[in-house]
Amino acid sequence: MQRAALLDAARSLLSEGGTEALTFPALAERTGLARSSVYEYFRSRAAVVEELCEVDFPLWAAEVSAAMERATTAEAKVEAYVRQQLELVGDRRHRAVVAISASELDAGAREKIRAAHGGLVALIVDALGEMGHEQPRLAAMLVQGIVDAAVRRIELGAAEEPGAIADAAVSMALRGVRG
């Protein structure tokens, strides 16, 4: 329970203040633990980040996968892939990982984030292949680039409404995939 409370506090800190806010004293304060107790659970800030990725990425991937499974065509799967990720932008777990991704992390934490993103991208490869794309893995990476740019735009509080950003991202992804 303490570990879960620490992870929840880490999500909140990252969501509210970015990586600068994720400190062991702040985690201790949020959870009511002694600072030394935090070190019993995590050896470093990077260890907190790694565990957040291990816990949260599979949940997001499952949500994206479920949205794609409800789609009946390959194009609808691509749209679901883009839209579901953009719907998750407001989720505290997502905001935490966006903050993490922008920070200085050790090689282990960076590798876990890369592997998790790779798993997410793998969800769309088959749909792109069904659409006849000659290089579905490359196309999947580029579609994810569109999603990442849209996420940044939403996170910045852009002048456009999130729905308009999502519509533009879906349109760009589908037009790009169709060629």
Side-chain angles (χ1 to χ4, degrees):
M1 285 180 22
Q2 296 291 5
R3 189 176 212 84
L6 285 164
L7 290 175
D8 195 49
R11 283 183 201 99
S12 294
L13 290 166
L14 286 164
S15 179
E16 295 164 11
T19 53
E20 298 80 30
L22 181 60
T23 65
F24 278 27
L27 283 171
E29 182 179 326
R30 288 277 173 115
T31 58
L33 294 172
R35 184 175 166 182
S36 60
S37 296
V38 176
Y39 285 98
E40 291 177 28
Y41 293 94
F42 300 103
R43 69 188 185 292
S44 66
R45 214 164 67 144
V48 176
V49 168
E50 286 180 41
E51 189 150 338
L52 278 174
C53 290
E54 286 175 14
V55 171
D56 291 347
F57 264 103
L59 299 174
W60 302 322
E63 290 180 40
V64 173
S65 180
M68 290 176 70
E69 286 173 16
R70 291 189 294 273
T72 56
T73 67
E75 286 188 1
K77 289 179 190 299
V78 171
E79 181 172 352
Y81 177 85
V82 173
R83 286 195 187 280
Q84 186 61 40
Q85 287 189 70
L86 296 178
E87 284 180 27
L88 292 171
V89 170
D91 186 305
R92 194 166 59 101
R93 294 169 300 167
H94 184 272
R95 293 183 64 153
V97 173
V98 167
I100 290 166
S101 298
S103 71
E104 296 287 325
L105 298 175
D106 67 24
R110 281 240 178 260
E111 186 51 40
K112 291 209 184 220
I113 290 172
R114 267 193 292 278
H117 269 139
L120 192 59
V121 168
L123 293 174
I124 197 171
V125 172
D126 288 341
L128 294 168
E130 286 176 39
M131 290 176 71
H133 202 284
E134 292 178 16
Q135 295 180 296
R137 179 81 182 149
L138 172 60
M141 297 299 285
L142 296 174
V143 167
Q144 186 60 46
I146 292 169
V147 172
D148 293 344
V151 165
R152 284 190 300 278
R153 189 85 183 144
I154 292 168
E155 286 285 325
L156 285 172
E160 304 88 6
E161 291 293 319
I165 294 170
D167 290 344
V170 167
S171 177
M172 290 181 77
L174 288 174
R175 274 191 258 144
V177 170
R178 288 185 201 125

